Amino acid sequence: MLNYIWAGMLLIGIVYALFTGNMEAVSNACLEYAESAVTLCITMAGAMALWVGLMEIAGQAGLIEKFTNKLQPFISFLFPDVPADHPARGYIATNLVANILGLGWACTPAGLKAMEELSALNGNRETASDAMCAFLILNISSLQLIPVNMIVYRTKYGSSNPSGIILPAILATCFSTLAGILYIKMRYGRKNGC
């Protein structure tokens, strides 16, 4: 559906430019922003390589595993239906660690594996389980200590203080994550009759 909306907006813009005599401006803007998009992708690929490399080093040094172990009480608190030795817990923790470090692209594979494992636990595959919904809420709220993407975007587009976004991002994601956790616990509490 979203593809149709974008295609419709592009078509309306081109038709409008055609009727108002601005087709040359549209053509020039298309070429200019196509170049800008490629440049941004290359910049983001460099930042991604740096941070994914640092995550790999941290993983090989055992830091990710230690952080994952520290998160297990939190995971037990939020996902009481997931058994303690289930692989979904490791994927959930890895996803949370990557999100906290602001590595959205690095948390996606762990998030997909976590959902796959939570789906295997789900007896009714027609609807998502409470654990699946809780994980989705937690993943969307996404507590971030280092908003890597935003810092790279701000650097690329000439911000005088690219890291000035860190404190507002921490505050915003703390509140969104807290709201998500409260909702999850209220939902579990209502279901269990608490």
Side-chain angles (χ1 to χ4, degrees):
M1 179 65 176
L2 194 56
N3 289 338
Y4 293 120
I5 293 171
W6 280 110
M9 288 181 359
L10 284 170
L11 188 60
I12 289 168
I14 290 170
V15 169
Y16 181 78
L18 190 65
F19 283 114
T20 59
N22 291 320
M23 204 56 198
E24 184 179 342
V26 170
S27 297
N28 291 340
C30 286
L31 293 174
E32 178 185 338
Y33 286 104
E35 179 185 344
S36 178
V38 170
T39 305
L40 180 62
C41 286
I42 291 170
T43 302
M44 290 305 294
M48 182 175 85
L50 170 69
W51 284 99
V52 170
L54 288 174
M55 280 286 284
E56 183 64 27
I57 291 168
Q60 289 185 11
L63 295 174
I64 302 295
E65 185 178 337
K66 287 179 184 177
F67 201 47
T68 299
N69 290 337
K70 298 276 187 203
L71 284 174
Q72 290 307 316
F74 177 72
I75 292 172
S76 296
F77 173 72
L78 283 181
F79 302 94
D81 297 344
V82 179
D85 59 343
H86 198 274
R89 294 171 71 96
Y91 291 122
I92 291 169
T94 303
N95 178 274
L96 291 175
V97 169
N99 263 329
I100 288 169
L101 295 175
L103 305 173
W105 52 77
C107 73
T108 301
L112 292 173
K113 290 298 286 179
M115 274 299 191
E116 190 177 289
E117 293 294 335
L118 291 172
S119 180
L121 279 175
N122 186 11
N124 180 5
R125 293 190 183 259
E126 293 298 315
T127 58
S129 67
D130 286 340
M132 292 170 77
C133 292
F135 177 66
L136 183 62
I137 291 167
L138 193 62
N139 192 42
I140 290 170
S141 67
S142 174
L143 172 65
Q144 289 187 6
L145 297 180
I146 308 167
V148 175
N149 286 348
M150 293 309 299
I151 292 171
V152 172
Y153 291 142
R154 288 169 57 92
T155 301
K156 171 73 179 138
Y157 291 110
S159 172
S160 61
N161 184 10
S163 61
I165 193 75
I166 292 176
L167 182 60
I170 290 171
L171 292 174
T173 59
C174 278
F175 283 119
S176 66
T177 302
L178 181 61
I181 290 169
L182 291 173
Y183 177 79
I184 291 167
K185 292 316 284 181
M186 285 188 330
R187 173 111 171 112
Y188 267 120
R190 237 183 271 137
K191 181 184 174 204
N192 295 328
C194 295

